[in-house]
């Protein structure tokens, strides 16, 4: 299994539940999760929740990345897309065949323009699908994994998203244990 950090990237306007849920679940899975801010260590979410990040995304070395996680939200997804450091990290992570994960608006706004979704099945926030016929946006799906890319539809899918990332990195046994310890699905 590949070693390295799981990097959750936050930009101002991020959707809080789409960031907090993966951070929590992946740390519970025993993964080394760092939170990287775009342009600052202090980032404010779409619903005015403030987060203090571990580092700025510009200081993250792609060679140390096992997975990158991109919450959605507006204007958070647009702010991720506009960051050269974020775009570079995503492309490097994808080329290294490490996991690239995006939820809500981020699959369409951040990943699609970079070509990361080309030839893949994906899901995003309903109505945000691009017209790119090379991307198989699936309607009605909560979370989709296609190779090293995990995408999810929106805030209500944050646990499905987090569990699928954990499954990709740690396996079914760890995810089943997490679900049991978190009293998931009762």
């Amino acid at each position: 299994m590949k070693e390295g950090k799981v990097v959750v990237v936050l930009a101002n306007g991020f959707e809080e539940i789409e960031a907090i849920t993966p951070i929590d679940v992946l740390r519970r899975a025993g993964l080394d999760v760092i939170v990287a801010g775009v342009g600052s260590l202090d980032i404010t979410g779409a619903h005015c929740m403030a987060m203090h990040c571990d580092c700025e995304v510009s200081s993250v070395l792609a060679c140390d990345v096992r997975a990158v996680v991109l919450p959605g939200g507006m204007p958070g997804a647009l702010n991720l897309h506009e960051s050269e450091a974020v775009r570079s990290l995503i492309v490097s992570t994808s080329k290294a065949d490490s996991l690239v994960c995006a939820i809500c608006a981020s699959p369409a706004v951040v990943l699609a323009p970079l070509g990361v979704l080309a030839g893949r099945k994906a899901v995003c926030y309903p109505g945000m699908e691009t017209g790119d016929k090379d991307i198989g946006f699936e309607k009605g799906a909560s979370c989709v994994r296609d190779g090293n890319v995990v995408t999810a539809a929106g805030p209500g899918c944050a646990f499905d998203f987090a569990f699928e990332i954990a499954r990709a990195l740690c396996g079914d046994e760890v995810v089943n244990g997490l679900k049991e310890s978190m009293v998931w699905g009762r």
Side-chain angles (χ1 to χ4, degrees):
M1 184 179 317
K2 182 178 177 178
E3 295 299 319
K5 298 179 183 329
V6 175
V7 181
V8 179
V9 184
L10 303 185
N12 284 320
F14 72 93
E15 177 61 52
E16 292 91 343
I17 196 168
E18 297 169 359
I20 304 281
T21 304
I23 292 167
D24 182 272
V25 169
L26 298 174
R27 285 181 176 167
R28 287 173 191 250
L31 295 164
D32 184 4
V33 179
I34 62 168
V35 182
V38 174
S40 177
L41 293 179
D42 296 308
I43 305 293
T44 302
H47 302 99
C48 301
M49 289 185 196
M51 291 279 295
H52 184 74
C53 300
D54 301 310
C55 64
E56 287 191 30
V57 70
S58 59
S59 70
V60 174
L61 298 175
C63 61
D64 294 335
V65 175
R66 185 173 180 189
V68 63
V69 179
L70 308 168
M74 284 298 196
L78 288 172
N79 290 332
L80 290 172
H81 170 72
E82 291 173 0
S83 168
E84 176 57 37
V86 172
R87 292 192 309 267
S88 177
L89 178 62
I90 293 165
V91 170
S92 296
T93 302
S94 180
K95 283 182 180 178
D97 208 30
S98 294
L99 210 58
V100 176
C101 313
I103 184 170
C104 195
S106 285
V109 173
V110 185
L111 298 186
L114 295 174
V116 174
L117 299 181
R120 296 185 186 272
K121 293 180 182 176
V123 66
C124 65
Y125 192 81
M128 303 255 351
E129 298 87 352
T130 69
D132 188 338
K133 294 184 184 350
D134 196 31
I135 302 171
F137 280 111
E138 296 193 3
K139 303 254 188 212
S142 169
C143 185
V144 173
R145 179 176 175 205
D146 188 342
N148 69 321
V149 177
V150 178
T151 56
C157 308
F159 271 102
D160 292 340
F161 181 59
F163 287 139
E164 189 58 36
I165 297 166
R167 180 175 288 106
L169 296 173
C170 303
D172 287 330
E173 187 175 328
V174 169
V175 171
N176 292 339
L178 284 170
K179 288 180 175 181
E180 185 175 325
S181 71
M182 294 174 75
V183 195
W184 177 256
R186 282 199 189 171

